[in-house]
């Protein structure tokens, strides 16, 4: 059997690095999609050391840049014809409103739109795999989320919880819509809440300065380790138990019922169309 291939976004720290190491230990070839060359190389060395694998590599990808995402996808497709697992793990929480290079508010831009574009650009290698699995790391914060169609980039009344919750609801709407659009293929799409994990998610992407804004995500009196937080993503990426399951939301390896506003089909389709327009999806890239 040929080695299965996985991509993990935000793989240079926290759950992304833990996911990379665990997939590599299970025999996957893992491509670490990281924005920073320096941090990516440091994480690559740690992943190689901790996993004992030699089949891990780094390809730069800035989810805050549609051009960088397109460059990454092209580089991957030039080298690999199949993709077995895509773990859309990268995420940010911004204390103050900031924009990506494309002018998107950073939380919706990186947490959703960047992954939306990346996933659609990798659909063909996912479909070419024996069974392509897409795993979107969402959050219980979706419960407080709303898609602000009148001001999705939050030019008015910005606060970090509002922006993060919107982006995590977006992950779920994307999961449900995509699962329907690839239903005639062997590709599955699921999402998860990892729990309150102690990571650097609240740290400013540019300066490295910041604080963790995690308390609103869950009421736990402690933070999970990145390794613990990664367990459900690993489960969805690899377990035969979920091979036939798609379009669902999980917590602690168990399917969870979604709140009504996360299963609104009219909002889901409207948001998909908006997302296509935002990232400049070309006609031949649409599903």
């Amino acid at each position: 059997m040929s080695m299965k291939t996985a991509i993990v976004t935000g793989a240079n720290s926290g759950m992304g690095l833990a996911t990379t190491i665990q997939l590599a230990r299970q025999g996957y070839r893992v491509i670490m999609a990281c924005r920073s060359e320096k941090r990516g190389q440091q994480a690559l060395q740690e992943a190689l050391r901790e996993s004992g694998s030699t089949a891990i590599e780094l390809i730069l990808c800035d989810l805050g840049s549609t051009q960088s995402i397109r460059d990454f996808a092209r580089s991957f497709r030039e080298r690999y014809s199949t993709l077995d697992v895509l773990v859309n793990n990268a995420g940010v929480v911004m204390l103050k409103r900031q924009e990506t290079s494309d002018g998107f508010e950073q939380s919706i831009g990186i947490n959703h739109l960047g992954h939306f574009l990346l996933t659609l650009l990798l659909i063909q290698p996912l479909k070419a795999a024996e069974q392509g699995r897409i795993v979107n790391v969402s959050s219980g914060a979706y419960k407080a989320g709303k898609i602000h169609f009148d001001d999705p980039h939050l030019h008015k009344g910005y606060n970090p919880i509002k922006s993060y919750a919107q982006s995590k609801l977006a992950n779920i709407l994307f999961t449900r819509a995509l699962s329907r659009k690839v239903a005639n293929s062997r590709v599955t799409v699921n999402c998860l809440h990892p729990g309150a994990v102690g990571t650097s998610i609240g740290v400013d992407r540019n300066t490295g300065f910041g604080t963790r804004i995690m308390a609103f995500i869950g009421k736990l009196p402690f933070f999970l380790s990145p390794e613990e937080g990664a367990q459900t993503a690993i489960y969805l990426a690899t377990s035969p138990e979920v091979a036939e399951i798609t379009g669902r939301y999980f917590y602690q390896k168990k399917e969870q019922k979604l709140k009504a506003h996360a299963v609104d089909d009219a909002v889901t389709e409207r948001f998909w169309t908006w997302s296509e327009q935002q990232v400049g999806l070309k006609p031949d890239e649409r599903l």
Side-chain angles (χ1 to χ4, degrees), residues 248-266:
R248 308 298 173 81
Y249 171 72
F250 286 77
Y251 173 53
Q252 293 184 338
K253 301 183 183 179
K254 292 181 173 59
E255 185 181 340
Q256 306 292 312
K257 184 176 180 180
L258 287 162
K259 299 295 185 182
H261 71 294
V263 294
D264 186 319
D265 289 340

Side-chain angles (χ1 to χ4, degrees), residues 70-131:
R70 288 186 174 280
D71 291 344
F72 173 92
R74 184 175 61 252
S75 295
F76 177 84
R77 292 194 309 260
E78 286 172 351
R79 297 163 67 180
Y80 301 104
S81 59
T82 61
L83 175 60
D84 299 275
V85 172
L86 172 61
V87 182
N88 288 321
N89 161 82
V92 297
V93 179
M94 306 309 299
L95 289 171
K96 297 180 180 178
R97 186 185 182 279
Q98 296 187 44
E99 293 186 349
T100 70
S101 60
D102 297 291
F104 306 147
E105 185 273 316
Q106 279 206 4
S107 287
I108 195 76
I110 293 164
N111 299 354
H112 167 62
L113 289 171
H115 284 127
F116 177 87
L117 177 60
L118 177 66
T119 303
L120 294 188
L121 295 178
L122 295 173
I123 280 293
Q124 291 311 315
L126 282 158
K127 286 183 174 180
E130 182 180 343
Q131 192 212 356

Side-chain angles (χ1 to χ4, degrees), residues 49 66 94 98 130 147 162 224 234 241 252 268 281:
R49 184 174 64 252
T66 55
M94 306 309 299
Q98 296 187 44
E130 182 180 343
I147 304 301
K162 180 180 178 181
L224 299 174
I234 296 293
E241 293 179 9
Q252 293 184 338
T268 300
L281 212 61

